[in-house]
Amino acid sequence: MALLVFFGATVAVLEWSLGNSLARARDQVLEAQLLAMIAVAEPGEAGAGLELPEPPDGRMLSPGSGLYAEIRDAAGRPAWRSPSALELALELPPPGAPGVRDSWIQPQRGGPGLALSSMVIDWEFDDGRVESYRFVVAQGLETWAAQRRAFRLGLVGWFGALAAATLALLAFVLRRVMRPLGRIEQEIREMEGAERDQLSAGWPEELRGVADNLNALLRRERDRQRRYQESLGNLAHSLKTPLAAIRTVLPEAGAAAAPQVATVRSELGRMDRIIGWQLRRAAAVGAAGVGLAPVPVVPVVRDLAAILDKVYRERDVRCDLELPENLRFRGDEGDLQEMLGNVLDNAWKYGRRRVRISGARHGVDAITLRVEDDGPGLAPARADEVMARGARLDESHPGQGIGLAVVRELVTAYGGRLTVAASALGGAAVELELPGG
């Protein structure tokens, strides 16, 4: 658009410049004709008036030729008229001072008009008398208008062709220039879909630094993720050994400490489940990773529900699944297990007899997961409080108060949203909005 405006403005400026040049040229031609008339003028017969025995330009002899001339006396009466101007009425403004040339344009019905120029000369005759005569020359503007029109059409045509060629060239160059950007976009999309590990080589010099830096960033991220996985895996394995030793020693505590032993066994079981989750999760950092394939949600939910049914066997909780089979989460499977594990654990823990898990696609690239229970519920005003790390609103159930805080941190890392509201079942409803695939 800017290029078209530029070409249009250029055409307008050039056409305006040509018009000025043609006007100056026309004025110079009229001035030359006027001076030539004055040069060849002679007194008439018996020294009365002035006339042009031989006009300086042959066109003045042909009627309708486009070049006209006349001489007027001081009273404004024609003293001589060229044959070409016999039927032409020239409208003259008041004369100027002697020796000063005047120029003007006379409109003409049905035509472009006339360009006129005149000059008053004080003519001294042989007998010594001096009389003022006004020399007038006029030229039709048809020729000048035709030249300007032809130039304008040629200008528009040439500049139109030049603009089309320039746009075509720009389109070709931009396509060549933008092709590497389209390629890098495609490869990034492939990395998001876990189809490649890094960007390929062979980039133009302008994009080589970007590709190299991005590949280096990906390598550092994978190294950090691997070290984090190994560290957390080592921690989990190192904790399992002392837990096993404690379980071995507990039977020796005797019957006198049976209540305490039962409590310790329960807490040991909970610790074992947490460590098991961490080992399965393998400490994946999910939201910070790149190139994660979409994870089916239904199998993860079913596995977690089966584990919680065993853990809370005495609760006899009924779980209703209302999840589409094609529901996909774009992220790390361990992160999905961590988020749903904490939310479902609370539902089994605080629910009475029923838990409902539903989900749906939300737009093109998002999903919504909703976990509801029929427990005591949670006041909406305390939703932020319960998601704070270490917060526990119900001290009657064991726990550390970090479950929902961890969930919120992971959801936020994925650019999603976590909300807690009242459920139609009578308890709490926890809703997670996450990226979908």
Side-chain angles (χ1 to χ4, degrees):
M1 184 63 184
L3 187 62
L4 294 178
V5 171
F6 170 76
F7 277 123
T10 302
V11 169
V13 170
L14 289 176
E15 201 271 339
W16 174 81
S17 178
L18 173 70
N20 289 340
S21 298
L22 288 176
R24 288 193 297 269
R26 184 182 65 238
D27 193 58
Q28 291 172 0
V29 169
L30 291 176
E31 182 181 13
Q33 294 284 0
L34 193 63
L35 295 177
M37 285 177 57
I38 296 172
V40 300
E42 294 179 358
E45 294 180 1
L50 291 178
E51 61 181 22
L52 270 67
E54 187 68 30
D57 194 310
R59 289 177 296 171
M60 295 180 181
L61 299 174
S62 302
S65 64
L67 183 62
Y68 318 102
E70 70 176 23
I71 302 174
R72 294 192 179 188
D73 59 18
R77 297 185 298 267
W80 175 86
R81 286 174 66 89
S82 65
S84 61
L86 290 179
E87 297 181 359
L88 182 66
L90 299 179
E91 301 174 2
L92 307 183
V100 176
R101 190 171 65 90
D102 299 320
S103 298
W104 68 95
I105 299 295
Q106 175 182 317
Q108 192 176 25
R109 180 179 298 179
L114 297 172
L116 296 95
S117 184
S118 71
M119 181 182 296
V120 176
I121 298 295
D122 289 338
W123 193 278
E124 183 178 359
F125 290 88
D126 293 338
D127 57 4
R129 75 180 188 278
V130 177
E131 295 183 8
S132 293
Y133 288 91
R134 188 176 187 182
F135 289 78
V136 181
V137 64
Q139 186 174 15
L141 296 176
E142 293 86 354
T143 303
W144 305 100
Q147 291 179 356
R148 186 168 185 174
R149 185 165 52 252
F151 179 80
R152 183 188 298 119
L153 292 176
L155 197 64
V156 170
W158 280 107
F159 267 90
L162 180 60
T166 303
L167 289 174
L169 179 61
L170 283 177
F172 174 76
V173 171
L174 285 176
R175 187 168 183 177
R176 293 292 299 271
V177 171
M178 297 298 290
R179 186 177 298 170
L181 294 179
R183 176 184 161 199
I184 200 170
E185 179 185 6
Q186 177 63 28
E187 293 193 3
I188 291 176
R189 191 179 298 114
E190 291 174 358
M191 286 193 296
E192 291 176 348
E195 299 176 18
R196 64 167 56 241
D197 294 332
Q198 62 179 13
L199 297 177
S200 61
W203 297 99
E205 184 177 355
E206 295 80 4
L207 293 177
R208 190 175 302 135
V210 175
D212 292 344
N213 290 336
L214 183 56
N215 285 335
L217 177 63
L218 290 173
R219 286 193 295 270
R220 290 195 298 270
E221 176 62 22
R222 292 193 185 97
D223 290 341
R224 187 182 72 85
Q225 184 175 350
R226 178 182 53 78
R227 290 193 300 269
Y228 185 49
Q229 290 173 340
E230 293 174 353
S231 299
L232 193 53
N234 293 338
L235 175 62
H237 278 292
S238 62
L239 287 176
K240 289 186 73 71
T241 300
L243 283 176
I246 293 173
R247 284 184 170 177
T248 303
V249 174
L250 278 179
E252 301 176 2
Q260 293 84 351
V261 170
T263 302
V264 172
R265 285 183 181 277
S266 175
E267 292 301 312
L268 285 176
R270 178 175 176 80
M271 293 173 64
D272 188 58
R273 290 194 303 274
I274 293 175
I275 292 173
W277 275 341
Q278 294 295 342
L279 285 174
R280 287 195 306 274
R281 183 170 182 260
V285 292
V290 178
L292 298 174
V295 177
V297 174
V298 174
V300 175
V301 173
R302 285 176 177 163
D303 290 345
L304 291 172
I307 295 173
L308 291 169
D309 280 340
K310 295 177 182 178
V311 172
Y312 296 99
R313 186 180 296 106
E314 71 282 356
R315 305 295 303 276
D316 191 24
V317 174
R318 191 187 81 186
C319 177
D320 297 327
L321 294 183
E322 299 177 2
L323 295 169
E325 289 292 336
N326 62 348
L327 201 62
R328 298 287 190 274
F329 163 67
R330 183 170 288 280
D332 183 77
E333 184 175 358
D335 287 335
L336 182 61
Q337 290 175 346
E338 181 74 16
M339 291 184 285
L340 288 177
N342 281 290
V343 175
L344 292 177
D345 184 66
N346 285 338
W348 256 263
K349 183 189 301 181
Y350 295 105
R352 294 186 177 94
R353 285 289 182 268
R354 188 178 175 194
V355 172
R356 181 166 61 198
I357 308 170
S358 58
R361 293 189 64 87
H362 184 69
V364 179
D365 54 359
I367 61 172
T368 301
L369 299 176
R370 186 178 179 89
V371 178
E372 304 173 77
D373 62 64
D374 60 349
L378 176 67
R382 308 193 69 183
D384 291 337
E385 181 181 350
V386 77
M387 286 187 286
R389 183 174 289 272
R392 296 181 59 204
L393 303 186
D394 185 0
E395 298 291 343
S396 63
H397 290 79
Q400 290 76 38
I402 63 172
L404 283 181
V406 171
V407 175
R408 181 168 67 173
E409 291 173 0
L410 284 171
V411 170
T412 303
Y414 277 101
R417 185 173 61 175
L418 174 66
T419 56
V420 180
S423 168
L425 300 180
V430 180
E431 187 171 281
L432 294 79
E433 291 185 16
L434 298 168

